[in-house]
């Protein structure tokens, strides 16, 4: 077989041809001949290299370098630099899509935007924009017309429940803090948002920070606090910056600081940054972190409402909880309570991720069904594949199967189904997802993030992870399922904080709803979704293979044999299941079993 | 790094302490700022913080070792953070991780022998809408495909 030092693939799809791909191809051939490189560099025609938007495009292997927007005139320089001197030509590199705002599109049908209403609409760095949208009007109303008790009653009547996870009634919590003896009292905003896949809070902080500040100031008035903290994760530098600007502007306008709006009530807010520990989202760990200590949870009771920051009564709520407050005050408790279900009122933001057509942020009234969220708002499953499961509530949530698509989304029904509302992450998975692999994956996360303080969480999650890793590696044993179930039960009942208590949920829920997949892995040594490498084999279909040799040349371990125009064969003992042959075969002759 | 270019550890600590004060609650903000300025927390910095804040050294170290963003080991010239959370994982993060491994041969947390790269894994960065996500220094790359890894890394050559 002829040996080439590199392969240059030119895309010859209609889009690229229209932009002169043929001319580029010819120029490339000519120039390689002229430089005496044609024996070393193989030029191939291919399709769909990049986005097709800025062709002609060229891909060079083995470096894997992707050039785009080439013209005939660029070729001599490119050949000299890249193929002769071995230097990548930066100016021809295809632009790599950087972070873009795909998060928040125009509202879809069935969306109701309360918390997100200003996001993308107002300039978050300009307080006057917020004021023009009735900003700080609720604060003015509270300070001039309402007693703290009236504010608390309004929030209780609205039915608002905490958006940070457990769903504790917000007005009730405020009342407890107000009644708790001790001074001073604190107000904390939990902006740690550590759940993978959740970015609802970030968007509010970056897009409408004043709504959170206003909510906190109203809470402070209601409970009688003079100092507040926003604990924001350090992974959100833009949110921290936006908050600090907003706080300064609110001070300048007299909404924060001494004697707010001449009412005699004083309150100020500081931002504190986390330092990369998931468990700090748990309220007692968060307060330890603000105090400058390791972020380890402590047993509750005493609850923060009684003994919180520096042992003083403390109200802690999530970003979204606070952002709802000004609207509740302005539009009234009954307006808010008109949305949602019997026990879960208002709207909820969700971050939809995974295999769904429209990923991103949404805000929907509670009580909407999962099907409506995934199909009507999310546009359905990508590539029109089949829905397999949806994971709600982050790493302490569960995976729900298709039977639950018509379930109404509220706190109680999610919990009854073995998942949780959590902070609103929603990961949609299609038929190609292996549920054992997913359970393993979440366990890896919680095991890694366990603060290590208590044994069931620290050791138990490790045991579960070891068993799951073994099952995915094809070494599952009889009895594994039963041990997993026992461990899930014990960890849930004996861990100190919500992390350990919720950690088994992804495993328990997949065991419950996708048990046959575990069984296939363990007893039949088969991964039905064809994901777990140890349990799959690659094969070439003899009647489809054209003998083009592409797969054999690309296999990194030379597991494929076969002569040109003859059927190729994979040797399973050598194959490392990297899947490259399947990607490169232009005839879909390679299959996984 | 050339010793002459190294920011002076003591003056970095002093600046951070001046900004945040010497109360106990200032400890994490100070550690974060020093870590940001120096890339990690050298022993000299921890000792100086201990002297200024009068917090026991063992407690400073216990805090510094608890948080993922604080590092007591030097880091490479470029820090690569790979998002290993589920939303990125299910949209192809695993293949991207493999490509990073192929290119760098580093375990998470390791720095390459030439001091050029440090490879870290991170949990969700909240930009899952464009997953898989890789962050190099302060540049965020979204919708990353495994084939793009060599090219992305080449930008830092
Ligand atoms: C491990 C763990 C992580 C948590 N992470 C968060 C978080 O990132 N954001 C949040 O608001 N609440 C989080 N919580 C819930 C908080 O402990 C607390 O219940 C919440 O901030 C209360 O606010 P709410 O009543 O407005 O929901 C977490 C809980 C646990 C156990
Ligand atoms: S349950 Fe886990 S995270 Fe929570 S305190 Fe125990 S060890 Fe720490
Ligand atoms: S999966 Fe990878 S190792 Fe196996 S035959 Fe295909 S290319 Fe070769
Ligand atoms: S070599 Fe078998 S299809 Fe290409
Ligand atoms: S999971 Fe990767 S950014 Fe959220």
């Amino acid at each position: 077989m002829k040996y080439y030092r590199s392969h240059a693939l030119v895309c010859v799809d209609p889009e690229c041809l229209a932009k002169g791909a043929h001319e580029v191809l010819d120029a490339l051939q000519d120039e390689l001949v002229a430089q005496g490189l044609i024996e070393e560099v193989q030029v191939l025609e291919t399709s769909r290299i990049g986005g097709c938007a800025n062709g002609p495009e060229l891909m060079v292997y083995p470096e894997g370098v992707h050039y785009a927007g080439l013209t005939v005139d660029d070729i001599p320089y490119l050949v000299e630099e890249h193929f002769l001197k071995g230097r990548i030509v930066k100016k021809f590199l295809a632009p790599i899509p950087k972070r873009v705002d795909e998060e928040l599109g125009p509202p879809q049908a069935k969306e109701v935007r309360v918390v997100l209403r200003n996001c993308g609409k107002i300039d978050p760095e300009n307080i006057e924009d917020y004021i023009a949208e009735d900003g700080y009007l609720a604060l003015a109303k509270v300070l001039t017309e309402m007693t703290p008790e009236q504010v608390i009653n309004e929030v209780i009547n609205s039915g608002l429940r905490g958006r940070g996870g457990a769903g504790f009634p917000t007005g009730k919590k405020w009342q407890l803090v107000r009644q708790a003896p001790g001074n001073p009292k604190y107000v904390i905003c939990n902006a740690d948002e550590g759940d993978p896949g959740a970015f609802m809070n970030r968007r509010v902080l970056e897009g409408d920070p004043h709504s959170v500040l206003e909510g906190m100031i109203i809470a402070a008035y209601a409970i009688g606090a003079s100092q507040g903290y926003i604990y924001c994760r350090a992974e959100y530098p833009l949110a921290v910056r936006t908050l600090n600007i907003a706080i300064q502007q609110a001070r300048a306008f007299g909404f924060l600081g001494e004697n707010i709006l001449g009412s005699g009530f004083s309150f100020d807010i500081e931002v504190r940054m986390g330092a990369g520990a998931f468990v700090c989202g748990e309220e007692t760990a968060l307060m330890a972190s603000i105090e400058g200590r390791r972020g380890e949870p402590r047993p509750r009771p005493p609850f923060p409402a009684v003994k919180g920051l520096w042992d003083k009564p403390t109200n802690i709520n999530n970003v979204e909880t606070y952002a709802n407050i000004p609207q509740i005050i302005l539009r009234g408790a009954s307006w808010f309570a008109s949305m949602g279900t019997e026990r879960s009122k208002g709207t909820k933001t969700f971050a939809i991720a995974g295999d769904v057509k429209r990923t991103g942020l949404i805000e929907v009234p509670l009580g909407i069904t999962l099907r409506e969220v995934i199909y009507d708002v999310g546009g359905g499953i990508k590539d029109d594949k089949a829905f397999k499961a949806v994971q709600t509530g982050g790493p302490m949530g569960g995976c729900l199967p298709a039977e639950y698509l018509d379930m109404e989304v509220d706190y109680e029904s999610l919990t009854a189904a073995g998942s949780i509302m959590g902070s609103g992450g929603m990961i949609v998975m299609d038929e190609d997802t292996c549920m054992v692999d997913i359970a393993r994956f979440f366990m890896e996360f919680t095991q890694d993030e366990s603060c290590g303080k208590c044994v069931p969480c620290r050791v138990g999650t490790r045991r579960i992870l070891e068993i799951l890793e073994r099952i995915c590696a094809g070494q599952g044993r009889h009895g594994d399922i039963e041990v997993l179930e026992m461990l899930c039960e014990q960890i849930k009942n004996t861990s100190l904080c919500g992390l350990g208590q919720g950690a088994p949920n992804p495993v328990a829920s997949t065991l419950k709803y996708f048990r046959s997949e575990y069984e296939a892995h363990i007893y039949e040594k088969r991964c039905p979704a064809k994901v777990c490498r140890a349990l799959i084999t690659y094969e070439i279909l003899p009647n489809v293979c054209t003998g083009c040799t592409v797969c054999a040349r690309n296999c990194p371990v030379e597991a494929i044999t076969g002569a040109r125009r003859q059927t190729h064969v994979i040797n399973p003992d050598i194959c490392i299941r990297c899947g490259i042959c399947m990607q490169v075969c232009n005839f879909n002759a390679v299959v996984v079993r | 790094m050339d010793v002459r270019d190294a920011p002076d550890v003591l003056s970095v600590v002093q600046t951070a302490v001046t900004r945040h004060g010497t109360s106990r609650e200032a400890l994490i903000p100070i550690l974060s700022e020093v870590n940001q300025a120096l890339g990690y927390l050298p022993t000299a910095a921890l000792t100086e913080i201990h002297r200024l804040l009068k917090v026991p050294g063992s407690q400073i170290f216990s805090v510094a070792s608890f948080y993922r963003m604080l590092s007591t080991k030097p880091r490479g010239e470029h820090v690569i953070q790979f998002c290993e959370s589920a939303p990125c994982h299910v949209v192809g993060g695993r293949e991207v991780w493999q490509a990073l491994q192929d290119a760098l041969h580093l375990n998470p947390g390791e720095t390459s022998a030439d001091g050029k790269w440090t490879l870290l894994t991170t949990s969700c960065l909240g930009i899952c809408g464009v997953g898989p996500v890789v962050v190099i220094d302060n540049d965020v790359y979204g919708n990353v495909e495994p084939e793009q890894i060599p090219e992305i890394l080449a930008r830092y050559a």
Side-chain angles (χ1 to χ4, degrees), chain A residues 167-185:
Chain A
F168 192 85
T170 304
K172 258 296 195 351
K173 194 186 274 186
W174 291 11
Q175 198 166 47
L176 289 173
V177 184
R178 175 159 189 88
Q179 288 163 354
N183 247 313
K185 291 176 179 169

Side-chain angles (χ1 to χ4, degrees), chain A residues 279 297 449-455 457-458 495-501:
Chain A
V279 74
E449 296 291 351
S450 163
C451 79
K453 184 169 171 172
C454 65
V455 178
C457 173
R458 186 182 68 229
S495 288
L496 175 63
C497 87
L499 194 154
Q501 290 155 10

